[in-house]
Amino acid sequence: MSRPIDKKRNIALIGHNGSGKSLLLSAMLFNSGLMDRINSKLIDTDPIEESKGSSVSSHVYSFDWNDFSFTVIDTPGFGDFISEVINSLFVSENALSVVNAVAGVEIQTERTWQMAEDMKKPVMVFINQMDKERANFESAVNELASSFDRKIVAVTLQIGSEANFRGLIDLISEKAYVYNSGKREEIPVPSEFSEKVQELRLRLIEDVVESDDTLMEKYLDGQEIGSEELIHAMIKAYKTCQIVPVICGSAEKNIGIDLILDYVSLLGASPSETTSYMARLDSGEEVEIKPSETEPFCAYNFKTVVDPFVGRVSYIKIIAGAVKPGDTYVNVNRGTSDKFGRIYLPRGKDQIEVDQASCGDVVVLPKLKEGSVGETFTHKDRKLTIVTPAFPEPMFSRSVNPKSKSDIDKISNGLSRLSETDPAFKWEYDPETGETVVSGLGNIHLDVMIERLKSTFGVDVEVGKPKIAYRETITKKAVAEYKHKKQTGGHGQYGHVKIELEPLPRGAGFEFVDKIFGGVIPKNFIPSVEKGIVEAMKRGSVAGYPVVDVRVTLFDGSYHEVDSSDISFQIAAIQAFRKGMEEARPVLLEPIMEVEIFCPDEVAGDVIGEVTSRRGRPQGMESIGRGMSKVKAEVPLAEMLDFSGKLSGITSGRGYFTMKFVRYQEVPPNIQEKVIQERKQESQNA
């Protein structure tokens, strides 16, 4: 049943691996009547997820709760699959951070929360697993308060603890509930909790009224704040990201799940209340798109699944307008148009076909001819492209080669289709070494994609050692000239260029400058020169890695009225660039990672020593409580490939780390020589 936009709630479940996000979604579906039992395996149905016991992709389900329509996106807790989290948050108006009551705030709690903040998404917290040994609600709330800037507001109080956890007290309504076999029963607030309830409710009121000047004035005057006034202020404070409501419970025992759904219904932002999406017109101008049911159709493809039986399955968020089967749409990124076939609401394997969907809805489109993650679909009269969120650059690479020669064609098709599903997964064929190289965010990420290549496309591959995404650049100016002249009978080939190469600051990329005067090279051949230089930059002269941070100025040359052509000037530019680079003192660059290592206090010194031995530069250390320290450092990626195992040994399995790319940096001469020799060896063995 289609609902008005203010009755729609889209929520991304975020948090650390093991916090129980999939189990929470299963419990929500059980409460809504869509599942007959609570079990995370009903959500993580992918064979790879079954083998790993964790989500490796997002799962999208729509269901009804009272008179609200919910779409919940369960995101993976592994850092390797962070692009799934980014896109899920991008299309959701609300974030529900799931926190393990025993472990408290973990690294993915912090990382995913920061993403929600960067996207200005309101956040609610569910402290899960309250029935486990050493679960501590108060400690988790205090940790949240010390970890994040937003005001943390507990709206529940637990009844019972650990194995005896059996219910909740709602501090807003001042009602108490106990759960027997997952079924809720309202009871009077137990007398032993009366004083604590009043204390916490007073604290809640103080936190909420701070966001409302009128209520603050009333409170300071000693007037009573009614429940309706309090709720109204909470709704406003939540949607404006001033407060974070916190609820505790147990997904496994189905305690507090109905309360979460009630609070998301009550406080949650609807699609019409989200921050606007930015879009880019054909002219390059950026405009805001307000979610609206009356504007022309516009949607964002945030998830694509390659199904071995169905083919391409796309999940889209309708940002504006409405759509029904048979409507024509434009894929703006590809410049193609097509018609929508059947449209479904996402419910796992039991998807529900609908005859129309509108602004705020998330729907599933099977068998689209084309469609990658991050693409925009619009009405033919509304050609604009949604500005996508920033995704991390893949930094881990491996070579993959089919075990059977008959699979050579299948591997490129399979990798192309997989790259459509994940903006952080890339692949390319290196003709020099004859290798196919896949790149991702970590070893687990690549393992999963290689397993999907086998299970979905039937391609079994041999996996080579990880490869580093080195780059090359120059360190001084150089001038180069090349004249391409070839006579083959009839029209020949002639292109002549003079160029100057000069280094740019790190991270500046490539700049092409046209300083041709007097028509010595006709204007129509200038783009061919630039195209040739861009082609030459794909393989540098040091070890065949891409060239970056170079300005190339075309300042002179000549042409032939008959023999000059686009290809002639491309060839001349390629050869001139290669000559110039040899003379511009080229060097190798390596990716430097910002690393945060979490380890027990007693081994922090050993961890710093290990980092230093890997050419790392420690940036500081701080205690984060619970007997743990955080070590910050900058380390070359090449030195981090086997760090995980070493860290596990030093910390007896308790340590973990995150890293992100910060910049490229010149490789020391002795290391550069080793890389060059390894690259030569690879080429000889190819």
Side-chain angles (χ1 to χ4, degrees):
M1 183 179 93
S2 181
R3 298 189 188 276
I5 195 167
D6 64 327
K7 293 292 185 180
K8 296 175 182 178
R9 297 289 184 267
N10 298 315
I11 316 109
L13 305 184
I14 60 175
H16 198 82
N17 185 51
S19 59
K21 297 183 297 299
S22 296
L23 199 63
L24 173 58
L25 175 54
S26 176
M28 288 178 169
L29 295 170
F30 174 78
N31 281 271
S32 72
L34 290 185
M35 281 189 176
D36 59 3
R37 66 189 188 281
I38 298 173
N39 190 328
S40 61
K41 291 181 180 178
L42 299 174
I43 305 297
D44 295 335
T45 56
D46 186 310
I48 298 173
E49 293 177 323
E50 290 177 6
S51 67
K52 291 188 175 296
S54 293
S55 302
V56 295
S57 63
S58 57
H59 300 282
V60 190
Y61 281 80
S62 290
F63 58 89
D64 292 332
W65 180 255
N66 296 329
D67 58 344
F68 286 84
S69 172
F70 275 66
T71 298
V72 179
I73 309 176
D74 168 34
T75 67
F78 283 120
D80 282 19
F81 305 102
I82 204 69
S83 60
E84 296 263 0
V85 182
I86 293 169
N87 252 338
S88 300
L89 279 168
F90 186 63
V91 299
S92 300
E93 287 76 52
N94 305 275
L96 180 58
S97 181
V98 184
V99 175
N100 184 323
V102 180
V105 174
E106 299 174 89
I107 184 59
Q108 283 300 103
T109 317
E110 295 181 349
R111 193 176 181 191
T112 55
W113 187 301
Q114 185 60 55
M115 289 173 181
E117 288 204 334
D118 291 344
M119 294 188 200
K120 297 181 171 57
K121 304 289 182 179
V123 178
M124 203 175 288
V125 173
F126 178 59
I127 297 181
N128 193 19
Q129 304 180 46
M130 286 293 298
D131 56 314
K132 304 300 181 187
E133 188 178 345
R134 299 194 313 281
N136 192 317
F137 179 57
E138 189 173 350
S139 172
V141 170
N142 290 338
E143 201 176 343
L144 286 165
S146 63
S147 300
F148 305 112
D149 290 335
R150 296 187 191 179
K151 194 170 286 295
I152 307 300
V153 179
V155 297
T156 60
L157 175 64
Q158 71 195 73
I159 297 176
S161 61
E162 299 183 351
N164 295 317
F165 174 63
R166 60 193 184 93
L168 303 165
I169 299 171
D170 184 343
L171 298 174
I172 302 290
S173 65
E174 296 184 88
K175 292 180 179 179
Y177 305 99
V178 292
Y179 294 76
N180 295 304
S181 300
K183 293 182 179 179
R184 186 172 85 176
E185 175 190 350
E186 185 179 341
I187 63 169
V189 174
S191 57
E192 66 267 27
F193 288 101
S194 297
E195 191 175 322
K196 187 70 172 176
V197 167
Q198 292 309 309
E199 176 194 332
L200 293 177
R201 193 171 193 277
L202 182 61
R203 189 184 304 170
L204 184 154
I205 291 171
E206 290 175 347
D207 287 340
V208 172
V209 298
E210 281 185 17
S211 65
D212 188 298
D213 291 342
T214 304
L215 275 191
M216 174 63 86
E217 191 174 321
K218 186 175 179 180
Y219 178 74
L220 293 175
D221 285 344
Q223 298 180 53
E224 186 177 342
I225 307 296
S227 291
E228 286 297 317
E229 290 178 301
L230 186 62
I231 289 170
H232 181 75
M234 279 192 73
I235 292 171
K236 181 182 174 184
Y238 166 77
K239 290 177 182 177
T240 53
C241 302
Q242 295 181 72
I243 66 165
V244 176
V246 183
I247 298 165
C248 66
S250 166
E252 186 176 8
K253 289 190 173 181
N254 198 23
I255 299 177
I257 311 307
D258 49 356
L259 211 56
I260 296 172
L261 296 171
D262 287 343
Y263 266 107
V264 173
S265 303
L266 178 67
L267 306 177
S270 73
S272 61
E273 295 169 311
T274 186
T275 51
S276 301
Y277 288 87
M278 297 304 296
R280 192 172 288 112
L281 303 176
D282 288 345
S283 64
E285 179 189 354
E286 288 196 358
V287 294
E288 282 189 25
I289 299 184
K290 297 281 186 185
S292 166
E293 294 177 291
T294 57
E295 290 287 315
F297 172 72
C298 176
Y300 177 77
N301 183 7
F302 72 95
K303 179 178 174 64
T304 294
V305 176
V306 180
D307 189 289
F309 304 107
V310 180
R312 183 186 287 107
V313 180
S314 301
Y315 291 70
I316 68 166
K317 165 72 176 291
I318 301 175
I319 293 169
V323 64
K324 59 183 184 297
D327 283 356
T328 299
Y329 71 93
V330 174
N331 182 323
V332 187
N333 301 75
R334 297 172 186 253
T336 59
S337 63
D338 200 356
K339 286 187 176 182
F340 289 119
R342 294 180 170 180
I343 300 173
Y344 296 87
L345 290 180
R347 288 189 180 171
K349 293 179 178 178
D350 303 316
Q351 294 173 350
I352 304 297
E353 189 170 358
V354 293
D355 56 13
Q356 183 168 326
S358 61
C359 177
D361 288 335
V362 170
V363 294
V364 183
L365 307 172
K367 299 182 180 178
L368 290 187
K369 289 180 182 177
E370 297 177 316
S372 298
V373 167
E375 292 182 341
T376 303
F377 301 157
T378 67
H379 184 274
K380 62 183 176 62
D381 296 330
R382 194 179 202 185
K383 292 186 179 178
L384 43 77
T385 308
I386 300 296
V387 177
T388 63
F391 295 99
E393 278 294 313
M395 280 292 153
F396 284 81
S397 299
R398 294 181 190 166
S399 62
V400 292
N401 294 294
K403 290 183 178 179
S404 169
K405 289 186 178 179
S406 62
D407 286 343
I408 289 176
D409 291 335
K410 286 168 67 178
I411 191 173
S412 59
N413 173 58
L415 291 173
S416 295
R417 297 286 295 277
L418 287 173
S419 66
E420 292 177 354
T421 71
D422 189 342
F425 176 74
K426 312 285 186 188
W427 76 279
E428 63 179 357
Y429 176 73
D430 187 338
E432 290 282 324
T433 62
E435 286 185 329
T436 298
V437 178
V438 295
S439 302
L441 299 181
N443 290 326
I444 299 174
H445 188 199
L446 291 179
D447 287 344
V448 166
M449 299 307 270
I450 290 167
E451 183 59 36
R452 283 186 177 150
L453 182 66
K454 181 178 179 180
S455 61
T456 306
F457 299 97
V459 182
D460 207 357
V461 296
E462 292 177 341
V463 182
K465 70 174 185 176
K467 295 180 180 294
I468 304 299
Y470 290 106
R471 297 289 183 262
E472 298 183 22
T473 194
I474 58 174
T475 57
K476 70 169 191 173
K477 286 186 179 182
V479 173
E481 175 184 8
Y482 192 85
K483 184 182 290 184
H484 175 66
K485 190 174 182 181
K486 193 173 184 182
Q487 204 66 40
T488 55
H491 283 314
Q493 293 181 5
Y494 184 93
H496 175 210
V497 300
K498 293 181 181 179
I499 59 174
E500 180 186 63
L501 286 71
E502 56 184 312
L504 288 176
R506 202 65 61 238
F510 166 61
E511 187 179 328
F512 178 75
V513 181
D514 172 17
K515 282 194 176 178
I516 292 296
F517 297 103
V520 293
I521 297 177
K523 285 191 177 299
N524 58 302
F525 291 133
I526 304 299
S528 301
V529 176
E530 183 176 3
K531 187 175 180 181
I533 289 166
V534 169
E535 182 62 31
M537 288 176 65
K538 290 180 180 178
R539 297 191 62 82
S541 62
V542 179
Y545 290 101
V547 181
V548 296
D549 303 339
V550 176
R551 177 186 291 126
V552 177
T553 302
L554 173 65
F555 66 88
D556 201 0
S558 63
Y559 76 104
H560 188 280
E561 288 188 357
V562 177
D563 292 346
S564 286
S565 62
D566 288 332
I567 191 67
S568 300
F569 275 99
Q570 281 187 48
I571 293 170
I574 289 171
Q575 297 302 327
F577 183 85
R578 287 175 178 169
K579 285 179 65 179
M581 189 171 178
E582 291 280 4
E583 297 172 16
R585 200 183 299 136
V587 294
L588 201 62
L589 302 174
E590 64 180 339
I592 302 298
M593 312 304 288
E594 181 181 274
V595 183
E596 289 189 343
I597 307 162
F598 299 82
C599 61
D601 293 338
E602 62 269 19
V603 296
D606 295 335
V607 168
I608 291 174
E610 182 65 26
V611 166
T612 304
S613 73
R614 293 170 179 262
R615 298 194 286 128
R617 296 173 55 194
Q619 305 288 304
M621 182 183 81
E622 60 180 293
S623 174
I624 57 172
R626 310 186 311 281
M628 297 287 284
S629 293
K630 178 167 69 174
V631 175
K632 290 186 177 182
E634 290 186 351
V635 191
L637 176 60
E639 303 289 348
M640 294 298 295
L641 298 181
D642 63 346
F643 182 70
S644 183
K646 187 67 177 178
L647 179 64
S648 182
I650 294 173
T651 64
S652 301
R654 293 179 61 203
Y656 55 94
F657 70 97
T658 63
M659 63 180 183
K660 64 180 179 181
F661 170 76
V662 284
R663 66 179 179 280
Y664 273 94
Q665 183 173 291
E666 193 171 325
V667 177
N670 61 320
I671 304 293
Q672 176 169 306
E673 194 54 42
K674 284 173 62 178
V675 174
I676 294 171
Q677 292 305 317
E678 287 175 4
R679 187 74 161 171
K680 284 181 180 177
Q681 191 68 40
E682 288 172 2
S683 299
Q684 291 169 3
N685 293 338

